[in-house]
Coordinates of all heavy atoms in Angstrom, one line a residue:
M1267 N -32.3 15.3 -28.3 CA -32.1 16.4 -27.4 C -31.1 17.4 -28.1 O -30.1 16.9 -28.6 CB -31.4 15.9 -26.1 CG -32.3 15.0 -25.3 SD -33.8 15.7 -24.6 CE -33.1 16.9 -23.5
K1268 N -31.3 18.6 -27.9 CA -30.4 19.6 -28.5 C -29.6 20.2 -27.4 O -30.1 20.5 -26.3 CB -31.2 20.7 -29.2 CG -30.3 21.6 -30.1 CD -31.1 22.6 -30.8 CE -31.6 22.2 -32.2 NZ -32.2 23.3 -32.9
F1269 N -28.3 20.3 -27.7 CA -27.4 20.8 -26.7 C -26.5 21.8 -27.3 O -25.9 21.6 -28.4 CB -26.5 19.7 -26.1 CG -25.5 20.2 -25.1 CD1 -25.8 20.3 -23.7 CD2 -24.2 20.6 -25.5 CE1 -24.9 20.7 -22.8 CE2 -23.3 21.0 -24.5 CZ -23.6 21.1 -23.2
I1270 N -26.4 23.0 -26.8 CA -25.6 24.1 -27.4 C -24.5 24.4 -26.4 O -24.8 24.8 -25.2 CB -26.4 25.3 -27.8 CG1 -27.4 24.9 -28.8 CG2 -25.5 26.4 -28.3 CD1 -28.5 26.0 -29.1
C1271 N -23.3 24.3 -26.8 CA -22.1 24.6 -25.9 C -22.0 26.1 -25.7 O -22.0 26.9 -26.6 CB -20.8 24.0 -26.6 SG -19.4 24.5 -25.6
S1272 N -22.0 26.5 -24.4 CA -21.9 27.9 -24.1 C -20.5 28.4 -24.3 O -20.3 29.6 -24.3 CB -22.3 28.1 -22.7 OG -21.4 27.6 -21.8
N1273 N -19.5 27.6 -24.6 CA -18.2 28.0 -24.8 C -17.8 28.2 -26.3 O -17.5 29.2 -26.8 CB -17.2 27.1 -24.2 CG -15.7 27.6 -24.3 OD1 -15.4 28.6 -23.8 ND2 -14.9 26.8 -24.9
C1274 N -18.0 27.1 -27.1 CA -17.7 27.1 -28.5 C -18.9 27.3 -29.4 O -18.8 27.5 -30.6 CB -16.9 25.9 -28.9 SG -17.8 24.4 -28.9
G1275 N -20.1 27.2 -28.8 CA -21.3 27.5 -29.6 C -21.7 26.3 -30.4 O -22.7 26.4 -31.2
K1276 N -21.0 25.2 -30.3 CA -21.4 24.0 -31.1 C -22.7 23.5 -30.7 O -23.1 23.4 -29.6 CB -20.3 22.9 -30.8 CG -20.4 21.7 -31.7 CD -19.1 20.9 -31.8 CE -18.5 20.4 -30.5 NZ -17.2 19.7 -30.7
E1277 N -23.5 23.1 -31.8 CA -24.8 22.6 -31.5 C -24.8 21.1 -31.7 O -24.3 20.6 -32.8 CB -25.8 23.2 -32.5 CG -27.2 23.3 -32.0 CD -28.1 24.0 -33.0 OE1 -27.8 25.2 -33.2 OE2 -29.1 23.4 -33.5
L1278 N -25.3 20.3 -30.8 CA -25.3 18.9 -30.9 C -26.7 18.3 -30.8 O -27.5 18.8 -30.0 CB -24.4 18.3 -29.7 CG -22.9 18.7 -29.6 CD1 -22.4 18.4 -28.3 CD2 -22.1 18.0 -30.7
C1279 N -26.9 17.3 -31.6 CA -28.1 16.5 -31.5 C -27.8 15.2 -30.8 O -27.0 14.5 -31.2 CB -28.7 16.3 -32.9 SG -29.5 17.7 -33.5
L1280 N -28.4 15.0 -29.6 CA -28.0 13.9 -28.8 C -29.2 12.9 -28.5 O -30.3 13.4 -28.4 CB -27.5 14.4 -27.5 CG -26.3 15.3 -27.5 CD1 -26.2 16.1 -26.2 CD2 -25.0 14.5 -27.8
E1281 N -28.8 11.7 -28.4 CA -29.8 10.7 -27.9 C -30.1 11.1 -26.5 O -29.2 11.4 -25.8 CB -29.2 9.3 -28.0 CG -28.8 8.8 -29.3 CD -30.0 8.5 -30.2 OE1 -31.0 8.1 -29.7 OE2 -29.8 8.7 -31.5
P1282 N -31.4 11.0 -26.1 CA -31.7 11.3 -24.7 C -30.9 10.6 -23.7 O -30.5 11.2 -22.7 CB -33.2 10.9 -24.6 CG -33.7 10.9 -26.0 CD -32.6 10.5 -26.9
Q1283 N -30.5 9.4 -24.0 CA -29.7 8.6 -23.1 C -28.3 9.2 -22.9 O -27.8 9.3 -21.8 CB -29.6 7.2 -23.6 CG -29.2 6.2 -22.5 CD -28.8 4.8 -23.1 OE1 -29.3 4.5 -24.2 NE2 -28.1 4.0 -22.4
I1284 N -27.7 9.6 -24.0 CA -26.4 10.2 -24.0 C -26.5 11.6 -23.3 O -25.6 11.9 -22.5 CB -25.8 10.3 -25.4 CG1 -25.5 8.9 -25.9 CG2 -24.6 11.2 -25.4 CD1 -25.2 8.9 -27.4
Y1285 N -27.5 12.3 -23.6 CA -27.7 13.6 -22.9 C -27.7 13.4 -21.4 O -27.0 14.1 -20.7 CB -29.0 14.2 -23.4 CG -29.3 15.5 -22.7 CD1 -28.7 16.7 -23.1 CD2 -30.2 15.5 -21.6 CE1 -29.0 17.9 -22.4 CE2 -30.5 16.7 -21.0 CZ -29.9 17.9 -21.3 OH -30.2 19.1 -20.7
E1286 N -28.5 12.5 -20.9 CA -28.6 12.2 -19.5 C -27.3 11.8 -18.9 O -26.9 12.3 -17.8 CB -29.6 11.0 -19.3 CG -31.1 11.3 -19.5 CD -31.7 12.1 -18.3 OE1 -31.2 11.9 -17.2 OE2 -32.5 12.9 -18.6
Q1287 N -26.5 11.0 -19.6 CA -25.3 10.5 -19.1 C -24.2 11.5 -19.1 O -23.4 11.6 -18.1 CB -24.8 9.3 -20.0 CG -25.3 8.0 -19.6 CD -24.8 6.9 -20.5 OE1 -24.0 7.1 -21.4 NE2 -25.4 5.7 -20.3
S1288 N -24.1 12.3 -20.2 CA -22.8 13.1 -20.3 C -23.1 14.6 -20.4 O -22.1 15.4 -20.4 CB -22.1 12.6 -21.6 OG -21.9 11.2 -21.5
Y1289 N -24.3 15.0 -20.7 CA -24.5 16.4 -20.9 C -25.4 17.1 -19.9 O -25.3 18.4 -19.8 CB -25.0 16.6 -22.3 CG -24.0 16.4 -23.4 CD1 -23.7 15.1 -23.9 CD2 -23.2 17.4 -23.8 CE1 -22.7 14.9 -24.8 CE2 -22.2 17.2 -24.8 CZ -22.0 15.9 -25.2 OH -21.0 15.7 -26.1
K1290 N -26.3 16.4 -19.3 CA -27.2 17.0 -18.3 C -26.4 17.7 -17.2 O -25.5 17.2 -16.6 CB -28.1 15.9 -17.7 CG -29.4 16.5 -17.2 CD -30.2 15.4 -16.6 CE -31.5 15.9 -16.1 NZ -32.4 14.9 -15.5
G1291 N -26.8 19.0 -17.0 CA -26.1 19.8 -16.0 C -24.9 20.4 -16.4 O -24.3 21.2 -15.7
Y1292 N -24.5 20.2 -17.7 CA -23.2 20.8 -18.2 C -23.6 22.0 -19.1 O -24.6 22.0 -19.8 CB -22.4 19.8 -19.0 CG -21.6 18.9 -18.1 CD1 -22.2 17.6 -17.8 CD2 -20.4 19.2 -17.6 CE1 -21.5 16.7 -17.0 CE2 -19.7 18.3 -16.8 CZ -20.2 17.1 -16.5 OH -19.5 16.2 -15.7
E1293 N -22.7 23.0 -19.1 CA -22.9 24.1 -20.0 C -22.1 24.0 -21.3 O -22.5 24.6 -22.3 CB -22.4 25.4 -19.3 CG -23.2 25.7 -18.0 CD -24.2 26.8 -18.1 OE1 -23.7 27.9 -18.3 OE2 -25.4 26.5 -18.1
V1294 N -21.1 23.2 -21.2 CA -20.2 23.1 -22.4 C -20.1 21.7 -22.9 O -20.3 20.7 -22.2 CB -18.8 23.7 -22.0 CG1 -18.8 25.1 -21.6 CG2 -18.1 22.9 -20.9
C1295 N -19.7 21.6 -24.2 CA -19.5 20.3 -24.8 C -18.3 19.5 -24.3 O -17.5 20.1 -23.5 CB -19.4 20.4 -26.3 SG -17.9 21.1 -26.9
M1296 N -18.2 18.3 -24.7 CA -17.1 17.4 -24.2 C -15.7 18.1 -24.5 O -14.8 18.0 -23.7 CB -17.1 16.0 -24.9 CG -18.2 15.2 -24.4 SD -17.9 14.6 -22.7 CE -19.0 13.2 -22.7
D1297 N -15.6 18.7 -25.7 CA -14.3 19.2 -26.2 C -13.9 20.4 -25.3 O -12.7 20.7 -25.2 CB -14.4 19.7 -27.6 CG -14.6 18.6 -28.6 OD1 -14.3 17.4 -28.2 OD2 -15.2 18.8 -29.7
C1298 N -14.9 21.1 -24.7 CA -14.6 22.3 -23.9 C -14.4 22.0 -22.4 O -14.1 22.9 -21.6 CB -15.6 23.3 -24.1 SG -15.7 23.9 -25.8
R1299 N -14.6 20.7 -22.0 CA -14.5 20.4 -20.6 C -13.0 20.0 -20.3 O -12.3 19.5 -21.2 CB -15.4 19.2 -20.2 CG -16.8 19.6 -20.1 CD -17.6 18.4 -19.7 NE -18.9 18.4 -20.5 CZ -19.7 17.4 -20.5 NH1 -19.4 16.3 -20.0 NH2 -20.8 17.5 -21.2
P1300 N -12.6 20.2 -19.1 CA -11.3 19.8 -18.7 C -11.2 18.3 -18.9 O -12.0 17.5 -18.4 CB -11.1 20.2 -17.2 CG -12.4 20.8 -16.8 CD -13.3 20.9 -17.9
K1301 N -10.1 17.9 -19.5 CA -9.9 16.4 -19.8 C -9.5 15.7 -18.5 O -8.7 16.2 -17.8 CB -8.9 16.2 -20.9 CG -9.2 16.9 -22.2 CD -9.9 15.9 -23.2 CE -9.9 16.5 -24.6 NZ -10.7 17.7 -24.7
H1302 N -10.0 14.5 -18.4 CA -9.5 13.7 -17.3 C -8.6 12.6 -17.9 O -8.9 12.0 -18.9 CB -10.7 13.0 -16.6 CG -11.5 14.1 -15.8 ND1 -11.1 14.7 -14.7 CD2 -12.7 14.6 -16.1 CE1 -12.0 15.5 -14.3 NE2 -13.0 15.5 -15.1
G1303 N -7.6 12.2 -17.1 CA -6.7 11.1 -17.6 C -5.7 11.5 -18.6 O -4.9 10.7 -19.0
G1304 N -5.9 12.7 -19.2 CA -4.9 13.1 -20.2 C -3.6 13.5 -19.6 O -3.5 13.6 -18.4
K1305 N -2.6 13.7 -20.4 CA -1.3 14.1 -19.9 C -1.4 15.6 -19.5 O -1.7 16.4 -20.3 CB -0.2 13.9 -21.0 CG 0.4 12.5 -20.9 CD 1.6 12.4 -21.8 CE 2.1 10.9 -21.9 NZ 3.2 10.7 -22.8
R1306 N -1.1 15.8 -18.3 CA -1.0 17.2 -17.9 C 0.0 17.4 -16.8 O 0.4 16.4 -16.1 CB -2.4 17.7 -17.4 CG -3.0 17.0 -16.2 CD -4.5 17.1 -16.1 NE -5.1 16.0 -15.4 CZ -5.3 16.0 -14.1 NH1 -4.9 17.0 -13.4 NH2 -5.8 15.0 -13.5
E1307 N 0.3 18.6 -16.5 CA 1.3 19.0 -15.5 C 0.8 18.6 -14.1 O -0.4 18.8 -13.8 CB 1.5 20.5 -15.6 CG 2.9 20.9 -15.0 CD 4.0 20.6 -16.0 OE1 3.8 20.5 -17.2 OE2 5.2 20.5 -15.5
G1308 N 1.6 17.9 -13.4 CA 1.3 17.6 -12.0 C 0.3 16.4 -11.9 O -0.3 16.2 -10.9
A1309 N 0.1 15.7 -13.0 CA -0.8 14.5 -12.9 C -0.1 13.4 -12.1 O 1.1 13.3 -11.9 CB -1.1 14.0 -14.3
G1310 N -1.0 12.5 -11.6 CA -0.5 11.4 -10.8 C -0.5 11.7 -9.4 O -1.3 12.4 -8.9
R1311 N 0.4 11.0 -8.7 CA 0.4 11.1 -7.2 C 0.8 12.5 -6.7 O 1.8 13.0 -7.2 CB 1.5 10.0 -6.7 CG 1.3 9.8 -5.2 CD 2.6 9.3 -4.6 NE 2.9 7.9 -5.1 CZ 3.5 7.0 -4.3 NH1 3.8 7.3 -3.1 NH2 3.8 5.9 -4.8
P1312 N 0.1 13.0 -5.8 CA 0.4 14.3 -5.3 C 1.7 14.3 -4.5 O 2.0 13.3 -3.9 CB -0.7 14.7 -4.4 CG -1.4 13.5 -4.1 CD -1.1 12.5 -5.2
S1313 N 2.5 15.4 -4.7 CA 3.8 15.4 -4.0 C 3.7 15.5 -2.5 O 2.8 16.2 -2.0 CB 4.6 16.6 -4.5 OG 5.8 16.8 -3.7
L1314 N 4.5 14.8 -1.8 CA 4.5 14.8 -0.3 C 5.4 15.9 0.2 O 5.4 16.3 1.4 CB 4.9 13.5 0.2 CG 4.0 12.3 0.0 CD1 4.7 11.0 0.2 CD2 2.8 12.4 0.8
G1315 N 6.3 16.4 -0.7 CA 7.2 17.5 -0.2 C 8.6 17.3 -0.9 O 8.6 16.7 -2.0
T1316 N 9.6 17.8 -0.3 CA 11.0 17.7 -0.8 C 11.6 16.4 -0.3 O 11.5 16.1 0.9 CB 11.8 18.9 -0.4 OG1 11.1 20.0 -0.8 CG2 13.2 18.9 -1.0
T1317 N 12.3 15.7 -1.2 CA 13.0 14.5 -0.8 C 14.5 14.8 -0.4 O 15.2 15.4 -1.2 CB 13.0 13.4 -1.9 OG1 11.6 13.1 -2.2 CG2 13.7 12.1 -1.4
K1318 N 14.9 14.4 0.8 CA 16.3 14.6 1.2 C 16.8 13.2 1.7 O 16.1 12.5 2.4 CB 16.4 15.6 2.3 CG 15.9 17.0 1.9 CD 16.5 18.1 2.7 CE 15.9 19.4 2.2 NZ 16.7 20.6 2.6
K1319 N 18.0 12.9 1.2 CA 18.6 11.6 1.6 C 19.4 11.8 2.9 O 20.2 12.7 3.1 CB 19.5 11.1 0.5 CG 18.7 11.0 -0.8 CD 19.0 9.8 -1.5 CE 18.0 9.7 -2.7 NZ 18.1 8.4 -3.4
V1320 N 19.1 10.9 3.8 CA 19.9 10.9 5.1 C 20.4 9.5 5.4 O 19.8 8.5 5.0 CB 19.0 11.4 6.3 CG1 18.7 12.8 6.2 CG2 17.7 10.6 6.4
S1321 N 21.6 9.5 6.1 CA 22.1 8.2 6.6 C 21.9 8.2 8.1 O 22.3 9.1 8.7 CB 23.5 8.0 6.2 OG 23.6 8.0 4.8
I1322 N 21.4 7.2 8.6 CA 21.2 7.1 10.0 C 21.9 5.9 10.6 O 21.7 4.8 10.0 CB 19.7 7.0 10.4 CG1 18.9 8.1 9.7 CG2 19.5 7.0 11.9 CD1 17.4 7.9 9.8
T1323 N 22.7 6.1 11.6 CA 23.4 5.0 12.2 C 22.7 4.7 13.5 O 22.5 5.5 14.4 CB 24.9 5.4 12.5 OG1 25.5 5.8 11.3 CG2 25.6 4.2 13.1
L1324 N 22.3 3.4 13.6 CA 21.7 2.9 14.8 C 22.2 1.5 15.2 O 22.6 0.8 14.3 CB 20.1 2.9 14.6 CG 19.4 4.2 14.5 CD1 18.0 4.0 13.9 CD2 19.3 4.9 15.8
P1325 N 22.1 1.2 16.4 CA 22.5 -0.2 16.8 C 21.6 -1.2 16.0 O 20.4 -0.9 15.8 CB 22.2 -0.3 18.3 CG 22.1 1.1 18.8 CD 21.6 1.9 17.6
D1326 N 22.2 -2.4 15.7 CA 21.4 -3.4 15.0 C 20.1 -3.8 15.7 O 19.1 -4.0 15.0 CB 22.3 -4.6 14.8 CG 23.3 -4.4 13.8 OD1 23.2 -3.4 13.0 OD2 24.3 -5.2 13.7
Q1327 N 20.1 -3.8 17.0 CA 19.0 -4.1 17.8 C 17.8 -3.1 17.4 O 16.7 -3.5 17.2 CB 19.3 -4.1 19.3 CG 18.1 -4.3 20.2 CD 17.4 -5.7 20.0 OE1 18.1 -6.7 19.7 NE2 16.1 -5.7 20.1
V1328 N 18.2 -1.9 17.3 CA 17.2 -0.8 17.1 C 16.6 -1.0 15.6 O 15.4 -0.9 15.4 CB 17.8 0.6 17.2 CG1 16.8 1.7 16.8 CG2 18.2 0.8 18.7
W1329 N 17.5 -1.3 14.7 CA 17.1 -1.5 13.3 C 16.1 -2.7 13.3 O 15.1 -2.6 12.5 CB 18.3 -1.8 12.4 CG 19.0 -0.6 12.0 CD1 20.3 -0.2 12.2 CD2 18.5 0.5 11.2 NE1 20.6 1.0 11.7 CE2 19.5 1.5 11.1 CE3 17.2 0.8 10.7 CZ2 19.3 2.7 10.4 CZ3 17.0 2.0 10.0 CH2 18.1 2.9 9.9
E1330 N 16.4 -3.7 14.0 CA 15.5 -4.9 14.1 C 14.1 -4.5 14.5 O 13.1 -4.9 14.0 CB 16.1 -5.9 15.0 CG 16.3 -7.3 14.3 CD 17.2 -8.2 15.2 OE1 16.7 -8.7 16.2 OE2 18.4 -8.3 14.8
E1331 N 14.1 -3.7 15.6 CA 12.8 -3.2 16.1 C 12.1 -2.4 15.1 O 10.9 -2.5 15.0 CB 13.1 -2.4 17.4 CG 13.4 -3.2 18.6 CD 14.0 -2.4 19.8 OE1 13.7 -1.2 19.8 OE2 14.7 -3.0 20.6
I1332 N 12.8 -1.5 14.4 CA 12.2 -0.7 13.4 C 11.6 -1.5 12.3 O 10.4 -1.3 11.9 CB 13.3 0.3 12.8 CG1 13.6 1.4 13.8 CG2 12.7 0.9 11.5 CD1 14.8 2.2 13.4
Y1333 N 12.3 -2.5 11.8 CA 11.8 -3.4 10.8 C 10.6 -4.2 11.2 O 9.7 -4.4 10.5 CB 12.9 -4.3 10.2 CG 13.7 -3.6 9.2 CD1 14.9 -2.9 9.5 CD2 13.3 -3.7 7.8 CE1 15.6 -2.3 8.5 CE2 14.1 -3.0 6.8 CZ 15.2 -2.3 7.2 OH 15.9 -1.7 6.2
Q1334 N 10.6 -4.5 12.5 CA 9.5 -5.3 13.1 C 8.2 -4.3 13.1 O 7.1 -4.7 12.8 CB 9.8 -5.8 14.5 CG 10.4 -7.2 14.4 CD 10.9 -7.6 15.8 OE1 10.5 -7.1 16.8 NE2 11.9 -8.5 15.8
R1335 N 8.5 -3.1 13.5 CA 7.4 -2.2 13.7 C 6.8 -1.7 12.3 O 5.6 -1.5 12.2 CB 7.8 -0.9 14.4 CG 7.9 -1.1 15.9 CD 7.3 0.1 16.6 NE 8.0 0.4 17.8 CZ 7.9 1.5 18.5 NH1 7.2 2.5 18.0 NH2 8.6 1.7 19.6
K1336 N 7.6 -1.5 11.4 CA 7.2 -0.9 10.1 C 6.4 -1.9 9.3 O 5.5 -1.5 8.5 CB 8.4 -0.3 9.3 CG 9.1 -1.4 8.5 CD 10.2 -0.7 7.7 CE 10.9 -1.7 6.8 NZ 10.0 -2.3 5.8
G1337 N 6.6 -3.1 9.5 CA 5.8 -4.1 8.8 C 6.1 -4.1 7.3 O 7.3 -4.1 6.9
K1338 N 5.1 -3.9 6.5 CA 5.3 -3.9 5.0 C 5.6 -2.5 4.5 O 5.8 -2.3 3.3 CB 4.1 -4.5 4.3 CG 4.1 -6.0 4.4 CD 2.8 -6.5 3.7 CE 2.8 -8.1 3.8 NZ 1.6 -8.6 3.2
K1339 N 5.5 -1.5 5.4 CA 5.7 -0.1 5.0 C 7.1 0.1 4.5 O 8.0 -0.5 5.1 CB 5.4 0.7 6.2 CG 4.5 1.9 6.0 CD 4.3 2.7 7.3 CE 3.1 2.2 8.0 NZ 2.9 2.9 9.3
P1340 N 7.3 0.9 3.5 CA 8.7 1.3 3.2 C 9.3 2.0 4.4 O 8.6 2.7 5.1 CB 8.6 2.2 2.0 CG 7.2 2.1 1.5 CD 6.3 1.6 2.7
L1341 N 10.6 1.9 4.5 CA 11.4 2.5 5.6 C 11.1 4.0 5.5 O 11.0 4.6 6.6 CB 12.9 2.2 5.4 CG 13.7 2.2 6.7 CD1 13.2 1.4 7.8 CD2 15.1 1.8 6.3
S1342 N 11.1 4.6 4.3 CA 11.0 6.0 4.2 C 9.6 6.5 4.8 O 9.5 7.5 5.4 CB 11.1 6.4 2.8 OG 10.2 5.8 2.0
A1343 N 8.6 5.7 4.5 CA 7.2 6.0 5.0 C 7.2 5.9 6.5 O 6.6 6.7 7.1 CB 6.2 5.1 4.3
F1344 N 7.9 4.9 7.0 CA 7.9 4.7 8.4 C 8.5 5.9 9.1 O 7.9 6.5 10.1 CB 8.7 3.4 8.8 CG 8.8 3.2 10.3 CD1 7.8 2.6 11.0 CD2 10.0 3.5 10.9 CE1 7.9 2.3 12.3 CE2 10.1 3.3 12.3 CZ 9.1 2.7 13.0
F1345 N 9.6 6.4 8.6 CA 10.3 7.5 9.3 C 9.5 8.8 9.0 O 9.5 9.6 9.9 CB 11.7 7.7 8.7 CG 12.7 6.8 9.4 CD1 13.3 5.7 8.8 CD2 13.1 7.0 10.7 CE1 14.1 4.8 9.4 CE2 14.0 6.2 11.4 CZ 14.5 5.1 10.7
R1346 N 8.9 8.9 7.9 CA 8.1 10.1 7.6 C 7.0 10.3 8.6 O 6.8 11.3 9.2 CB 7.6 10.1 6.2 CG 6.7 11.4 5.9 CD 6.4 11.5 4.4 NE 5.7 10.3 3.9 CZ 6.1 9.5 2.9 NH1 7.2 9.8 2.3 NH2 5.5 8.5 2.6
E1347 N 6.3 9.1 8.8 CA 5.2 9.2 9.8 C 5.6 9.4 11.2 O 5.0 10.1 11.9 CB 4.4 7.8 9.7 CG 3.5 7.8 8.5 CD 3.0 6.4 8.2 OE1 2.9 5.6 9.1 OE2 2.6 6.1 7.0
L1348 N 6.8 8.9 11.5 CA 7.3 9.1 12.8 C 7.6 10.6 13.1 O 7.3 11.1 14.1 CB 8.6 8.3 12.9 CG 9.0 7.7 14.3 CD1 7.9 6.7 14.8 CD2 10.3 6.9 14.1
V1349 N 8.3 11.2 12.1 CA 8.6 12.6 12.2 C 7.4 13.4 12.3 O 7.3 14.3 13.1 CB 9.5 13.0 11.0 CG1 9.7 14.5 11.0 CG2 10.9 12.3 11.1
L1350 N 6.4 13.2 11.4 CA 5.2 14.0 11.4 C 4.4 13.8 12.8 O 3.8 14.7 13.2 CB 4.3 13.6 10.2 CG 4.9 14.0 8.9 CD1 4.0 13.5 7.8 CD2 5.1 15.5 8.8
E1351 N 4.5 12.6 13.3 CA 3.8 12.3 14.6 C 4.4 13.2 15.7 O 3.7 13.8 16.5 CB 4.0 10.9 15.0 CG 2.7 10.1 15.2 CD 3.0 8.6 15.3 OE1 3.6 8.2 16.3 OE2 2.6 7.9 14.4
I1352 N 5.8 13.2 15.8 CA 6.5 14.0 16.8 C 6.1 15.5 16.6 O 5.9 16.2 17.6 CB 8.0 13.8 16.7 CG1 8.3 12.3 17.1 CG2 8.7 14.7 17.6 CD1 9.7 11.9 16.6
R1353 N 6.1 15.9 15.4 CA 5.8 17.3 15.1 C 4.4 17.7 15.5 O 4.2 18.7 16.1 CB 5.9 17.4 13.6 CG 5.9 18.8 13.1 CD 6.3 18.9 11.6 NE 5.9 20.1 11.0 CZ 4.7 20.3 10.5 NH1 3.8 19.4 10.5 NH2 4.4 21.5 9.9
D1354 N 3.5 16.8 15.3 CA 2.1 17.0 15.7 C 1.9 17.1 17.2 O 1.2 17.9 17.7 CB 1.1 15.9 15.1 CG 0.9 16.1 13.6 OD1 1.3 17.1 13.1 OD2 0.4 15.1 13.0
E1355 N 2.7 16.3 17.9 CA 2.6 16.3 19.3 C 3.1 17.6 19.9 O 2.6 18.1 20.9 CB 3.5 15.2 19.9 CG 2.8 13.8 19.9 CD 3.7 12.7 20.2 OE1 4.8 12.9 20.8 OE2 3.4 11.5 19.8
K1356 N 4.1 18.2 19.3 CA 4.7 19.5 19.8 C 3.7 20.6 19.6 O 3.7 21.5 20.4 CB 6.0 19.8 19.1 CG 7.2 19.1 19.7 CD 8.5 19.5 19.1 CE 9.7 18.7 19.7 NZ 10.9 19.0 18.9
S1357 N 3.0 20.6 18.5 CA 2.2 21.8 18.2 C 0.9 21.8 18.9 O 0.5 20.7 19.4 CB 2.0 21.9 16.7 OG 1.3 20.7 16.2
Ligands
ZN2883 ZN1 -17.7 23.4 -26.8

């Protein structure tokens, strides 16, 4: 199979199997496609927002309840979800 990259003009001779797997439906060669898994800005977990540290004072009984309710969730995730829930209710 002949494949000509519409970006760099490179001409490739490909096994039909490889063409089917990696080139069918594409206009450009591997080198001209956006790379996946490479190091790039903003790669990895998408940001949830800005992190701010807070100290919260609560009776031990309340803390106990919180720890029971949150289960295996990190405390930060528990509070984030709580806040977002309240926010959604208001709107
Ligand atoms: Zn190319």
Side-chain angles (χ1 to χ4, degrees):
M1267 300 292 297
K1268 196 179 265 188
F1269 178 89
I1270 299 166
C1271 174
S1272 69
N1273 186 56
C1274 68
K1276 185 157 60 183
E1277 207 176 299
L1278 299 163
C1279 284
L1280 301 159
E1281 299 289 330
Q1283 200 189 337
I1284 292 168
Y1285 176 81
E1286 288 283 327
Q1287 271 177 9
S1288 308
Y1289 287 87
K1290 202 178 180 182
Y1292 284 94
E1293 299 256 290
V1294 297
C1295 70
M1296 288 290 201
D1297 294 337
C1298 295
R1299 283 181 221 167
K1301 300 263 193 302
H1302 293 287
K1305 272 189 186 175
R1306 64 198 153 91
E1307 204 75 21
R1311 195 205 290 216
S1313 171
L1314 293 164
T1316 306
T1317 303
K1318 299 204 181 198
K1319 306 224 173 189
V1320 289
S1321 299
I1322 307 166
T1323 304
L1324 290 165
D1326 286 343
Q1327 175 62 35
V1328 176
W1329 281 119
E1330 237 166 74
E1331 285 166 23
I1332 288 168
Y1333 275 91
Q1334 269 169 24
R1335 278 220 216 170
K1336 82 175 186 66
K1338 284 180 179 175
K1339 230 180 265 176
L1341 204 55
S1342 58
F1344 178 81
F1345 277 108
R1346 179 171 56 237
E1347 281 167 27
L1348 213 60
V1349 170
L1350 292 176
E1351 237 171 70
I1352 294 162
R1353 191 172 161 271
D1354 287 346
E1355 277 168 23
K1356 275 186 184 171
S1357 61

